Amino acid sequence: MDFSRWIATISSWIWGWPFIILCLATGLYYSVRTRFFQIRYIRRMMTLLFRGKASGSGISSFQAFVLALSGRVGTGNIAGVATAIALGGPGAVFWMWVIAFLGAGTAYVEASLGQIFKEKIDGIYRGGPAYYIFNGLGRKGYAVVFAIVTIIALGMLMPGVQANAISDAFHTSFALDKRITAGIVIFLLSLVIFGSVRRIAGVAEVITPFMAIGYIVIALIILAVNYRRIPEMFMLIIESAFGIHQALSGVVGMAVTMGVKRGIFSNEAGQGTAPHAAAAAEVSHPADQGLVQAFSVYVDTLLICSATAFMILITGMYKVFDSAEATNVVMEGKGLSATMNEYGPVYTQMAVDTYMPGFGSAFVALALFFFAFTTIMSYYFQAETNVYFLFRKKKTSFYVVNILRISMLVIIYFTAVNRMTLAWDMADIGVGLMAWFNMIAILLLQSVALRTFNDYESQLKSGIRQPLFRPTSLNIRRTKEWSDRNDEKTIATNKRK
C-alpha cells in the first residue's frame, strides 16, 4: 500500500459510520435536552451579536462571532460542497442541512464550555477544548494530547488545503504564477498574525461580513433568473437524499457520508475550533456566546454552503461519480460538458459563468481567496491558543509562538506552490481527530453545559434582560475568570422595565 492509500485508509477509519453516528447523536441529544433552543432562540441569537463590548481582556461578541465564522467559512464552502455533490449526489446537501441544524446544539455546548473554563494569559482571555478538558474534567493528559493534535492539525495540515485552493484558483482564473500567489498570501498573513488577537478579530470583522454578503447576493441573482427551476432543484435534493431518485439510489450512503463529512469540515460544529474564539469574548454569561456560535453554524451552512449548492444545481453544472476515483459517471447535470471529469471549485465557477460570462471564474477565485485567507488566519489564532495552554511561562511561549508563526508561513508557501493530492485526506485526519476528542469531552461535561443553559433560561424567564453567571451557586468549579460577585442589586438593574 502506497502512502496516499495509507492516508486515505486512516481518513476513512476516522470518518467511518461510528463517527457519523456520534456527530448526529450528540447534536440530537443536546437539541432535545435544550428543547431545541436553535429554533426557540433564533431572534435572541441575532440580537446578541451586537451586545457587549470589547474590554482590555476580551473581544466583543460580534468580533468573536466573525472570528469563529472566518474559521468556519473557507474552502469547504466552495470546493467542499462541490466535492460533496460530486461524490454523494445532490442529496448530500440535505444531510449538510441536517448536520447544521443538529450541529447548532453541539456548537452551543462547546462554545459555552469554552467561556466557562477560559483563563486569562498575558492579560488576554484564552480558552478552548484543552482548557475545558483540563479545568472541567481535570484530565491533564487528555488536554495535552488535544492541544498537540490541534497545533499539528491547524498549524500544519489544514492550512495546506486553504493555501493550495487559493493558488490553484488564481492560477486557473488569472494565470498567476503560484509562487507569486503564495508570496502575497504569506505577506498579508504575516501582517495579521504578528499582532494580537484584537488585530486578528479586527481584520475578520471587516472581511468576513463583506465576503459572505457578496457571495450570497450573487447566488440570489442566479436563483432569481432561474426561479422556475427552484422547486425542481429542491425535489432533486430530497429525492437524492433518501435514494428515491432512480439514478442516485445507489449513492444514498455516500450522500449521508459526504453531507456529514463536508458539513462538519465546513461549519466545524463539534470540531473544537470555534470554542477558542468564543472564549476570547467579553460576556456576562457563557450561554450568550453559545447562542452566538450556534447562529454562526446557520450562517455557514444554511446560507453560504447552500448558496454554492444552489448555484451548482440550478445551473446543472455538476456530475455525480460512483467513487473518489471518478471512474464512472452516475448522473450528469444539464449544462456540464460531457468531457469534464474534475470536480471542485470549477463547478461553482462554471455555474456563475453560465449567467455572467467571464465573471464566474474570477469571482469564485476572489471569494475563495477571502474565504480561505480568513480561515488560515483563524487557524493560526486557534493553534496559538493551544501553544499558550502547553507553555504557560511567558518567555517560553513567546519563542514557541514565533516558531509556530514562521513554520506556518513556510508550510503555506510550500503547499501553495506544489500540487497537494493528499491535502484533503490529511486535513480530514486532523479535523476528524480533533472532533473525536472534542465530542467525547463535551459529552462528559454534559452536566456542566446543561446546568449553565438551564440557569440562563431560568434567569430570562424571571425577567432578567442580561443573565449573569454565578458558577459556585451552580456547583461548577475551577472557573478561573468567573465568580459569584454579582449581587442582587446588580441583577435587579437587569430586570425588564
Side-chain angles (χ1 to χ4, degrees), residues 79-93:
V81 173
T83 303
I85 292 173
L87 300 181
V93 179

Side-chain angles (χ1 to χ4, degrees), residues 391-421:
F391 302 96
R392 302 301 180 98
K393 291 184 178 180
K394 189 172 183 178
K395 188 174 182 179
T396 305
S397 62
F398 172 80
Y399 288 119
V400 177
V401 163
N402 279 293
I403 291 172
L404 171 67
R405 289 166 175 164
I406 295 170
S407 299
M408 197 168 180
L409 293 175
V410 171
I411 290 168
I412 287 170
Y413 183 85
F414 176 80
T415 54
V417 300
N418 289 282
R419 187 166 184 80
M420 291 292 291
T421 56

Side-chain angles (χ1 to χ4, degrees), residues 191-228:
L191 294 178
V192 178
I193 67 176
F194 281 93
S196 65
V197 62
R198 294 184 188 85
R199 181 182 297 179
I200 297 174
V203 173
E205 188 175 22
V206 174
I207 294 178
T208 304
F210 165 77
M211 68 181 187
I213 292 171
Y215 193 73
I216 292 169
V217 166
I218 294 297
L220 289 174
I221 292 172
I222 292 176
L223 286 175
V225 173
N226 294 274
Y227 71 94
R228 289 188 178 90

Side-chain angles (χ1 to χ4, degrees), residues 14 33 52 65 67 79 187 238 248 316 347 357 386 435 458 488-489:
I14 293 173
R33 291 299 303 272
F65 166 76
L67 182 56
F187 171 73
I238 300 300
L248 298 166
Y347 279 13
N386 284 275
S458 176
E488 295 303 320
K489 183 179 178 180

Side-chain angles (χ1 to χ4, degrees), residues 34-47:
T34 57
R35 299 169 293 282
F36 291 95
F37 79 91
Q38 57 265 66
I39 297 175
R40 296 187 295 117
Y41 285 137
I42 288 180
R43 182 178 177 182
R44 185 167 181 83
M45 290 177 190
M46 292 185 284
T47 59

Side-chain angles (χ1 to χ4, degrees), residues 241-256:
F242 295 98
I244 299 173
H245 196 289
Q246 185 176 1
L248 298 166
S249 60
V251 298
V252 63
M254 281 298 291
V256 179

